[in-house]
Amino acid sequence: MTSIDRAFIDSLPKAELHLHIEGTLEPELKLELAQRNGVDIGQSTVEQVRDTYSFTDLTSFLAVYYPAMEVLVTEQDFRDLALAYLRRAAADGVVRAEIFFDPQAHTSRGISFATVIDGLWSAVQEAPSLGIDAALIMCFLRDHSADSAEETLAASLPYRDRIVGVGLDSDERGNPPEKFAAVFAAAKDAGYRLTMHCDIDQEQSIQNIATVLHTIGVERIDHGTNILEDPALVAEAKQRGIGFTCCPVSNSFVTDQMKGAEIAALLREGLKVSIASDDPAYFGGYVSENIAVLAEAQQLTSAEVVLLARNSLESSWASDEKKAQWLRQLEEIAG
């Protein structure tokens, strides 16, 4: 079986394009913030908090994930959360981090949009000191109403210069992409880049993928490995250079396997597949670990691991100048 040296993976400059900042809330920080803000989470030790990070599918994961956010109260909390992630990402060779955040998960419990964005933006501004160029992607919660998404888009516009794009996440069941077609069209008109989750093995997975490609007009698809069910869509995504942000470790928690064969098949078909960590505090693997696990399971070559890094940089929404710089660095390391 192929074994790729972990130090080699860490050394590759890479972009992380599928990372939920709320999903980086490690048990240690959750407990610290709960104590700082006087929030009773029902646990008093790190080990007790870690024991609550238990789930068997997407629905049970979300039932743990959203209540954990109650400890995020102040601007400082959001800054600390993002900086903790950025420090960890830097150790994995991340040079570009495009960070998802879910404002509705916070405004719905009385935290202002300004508190969330100001805290995260403070960390983004500090990211270059860690060797990372960071950006924010605002996600709409698909199990909330389209009206709520429209209100969130309106709230974001005064901060347009701080947000590079919009996405769509949370429970896909009964919440197809067309529910949000109008708000995504408005976001595009406002200058936002577009991505959407098409979670694995969902109801109407292939129809939803077709919708995000043809109706929504996304540039990237988060997860999306079910596209293999339709060769014509695979060919179209390849021709259009659609990015696929895949997360093998989290896949193995919410389904019966990591979808490694499907990810490798898309990569070998020439699609713009990149690897990311999704919600690493809950799934136990940051980006380099995700690449290492996939490489081991699918016997990826060193050249294929380099290709994953190249795809991540090319699929990012960084400037062409920065992408060219990182790609030169990648080629120097890859040899």
Side-chain angles (χ1 to χ4, degrees):
M1 179 173 288
T2 300
S3 180
I4 305 295
D5 183 67
R6 175 61 182 267
F8 174 71
I9 295 173
D10 289 345
S11 73
L12 300 175
K14 58 186 72 71
E16 180 149 41
L17 307 178
H18 186 153
L19 183 284
H20 301 271
I21 197 61
E22 293 90 352
T24 68
L25 183 62
E26 293 285 353
E28 293 83 358
L29 183 57
K30 181 182 178 183
L31 186 60
E32 177 185 335
L33 296 182
Q35 293 170 345
R36 178 195 295 178
N37 295 317
V39 178
D40 183 4
I41 58 174
Q43 302 96 42
S44 58
T45 69
V46 170
E47 292 72 22
Q48 289 173 344
V49 176
R50 186 171 287 114
D51 287 344
T52 68
Y53 285 30
S54 177
F55 32 82
T56 57
D57 56 20
L58 178 61
T59 301
S60 61
F61 162 66
L62 294 175
V64 174
Y65 180 69
Y66 287 120
M69 297 181 199
E70 295 290 334
V71 302
L72 295 165
V73 177
T74 69
E75 180 180 327
Q76 183 69 40
D77 298 340
F78 287 96
R79 180 180 184 275
D80 289 349
L81 176 69
L83 279 177
Y85 159 69
L86 289 165
R87 294 187 187 105
R88 182 62 185 79
D92 278 7
V94 173
V95 295
R96 170 74 173 182
E98 298 186 3
I99 299 169
F100 292 142
F101 71 106
D102 290 331
Q104 290 157 291
H106 310 297
T107 56
S108 63
R109 57 188 179 87
I111 308 301
S112 72
F113 192 100
T115 295
V116 178
I117 193 70
D118 286 346
L120 296 177
W121 183 247
S122 175
V124 166
Q125 291 180 299
E126 195 167 329
S129 69
L130 301 170
I132 297 179
D133 180 59
L136 298 175
I137 298 174
M138 181 180 72
C139 288
F140 305 113
L141 297 180
R142 65 197 315 155
D143 46 3
H144 287 221
S145 68
D147 287 345
S148 176
E150 290 170 3
E151 292 167 3
T152 302
L153 177 63
S156 77
L157 294 179
Y159 307 95
R160 175 66 191 85
D161 60 335
R162 301 183 182 185
I163 302 170
V164 69
V166 297
L168 184 68
D169 59 19
S170 199
D171 199 340
E172 191 166 337
R173 295 175 306 167
N175 297 295
E178 54 265 32
K179 173 181 173 182
F180 299 94
V183 72
F184 269 75
K188 185 176 182 179
D189 287 344
Y192 288 120
R193 313 292 289 268
L194 306 184
T195 186
M196 270 194 181
H197 277 52
C198 289
D199 289 321
I200 51 178
D201 297 341
Q202 297 293 301
E203 299 171 358
Q204 299 184 333
S205 283
I206 198 66
Q207 295 96 317
N208 289 350
I209 291 171
T211 298
V212 303
L213 288 174
H214 300 150
T215 303
I216 309 299
V218 298
E219 300 170 69
R220 296 200 305 245
I221 294 177
D222 305 308
H223 298 301
T225 50
N226 287 91
I227 196 172
L228 285 167
E229 297 168 19
D230 189 329
L233 285 180
V234 171
E236 178 183 348
K238 180 179 179 179
Q239 188 274 327
R240 289 173 53 183
I242 299 295
F244 286 80
T245 67
C246 298
C247 309
V249 171
S250 69
N251 288 350
S252 67
F253 277 81
V254 299
T255 70
D256 59 359
Q257 45 105 349
M258 73 171 71
K259 300 295 182 183
E262 291 85 346
I263 295 170
L266 290 172
L267 179 69
R268 290 163 180 163
E269 283 278 342
L271 278 77
K272 290 281 187 183
V273 174
S274 65
I275 301 301
S277 61
D278 205 356
D279 300 281
Y282 293 89
F283 301 124
Y286 285 80
V287 63
S288 284
E289 179 67 15
N290 272 265
I291 294 172
V293 166
L294 178 69
E296 186 73 15
Q298 297 303 315
Q299 302 185 54
L300 299 186
T301 65
S302 295
E304 288 174 325
V305 170
V306 171
L307 179 57
L308 288 170
R310 181 181 297 114
N311 287 344
S312 73
L313 297 171
E314 291 178 346
S315 297
S316 78
W317 293 335
S319 69
D320 289 342
E321 180 181 5
K322 288 179 179 177
K323 288 197 279 191
Q325 173 189 336
W326 298 325
L327 289 167
R328 286 193 298 270
Q329 294 171 357
L330 179 64
E331 293 308 316
E332 290 171 2
I333 293 169

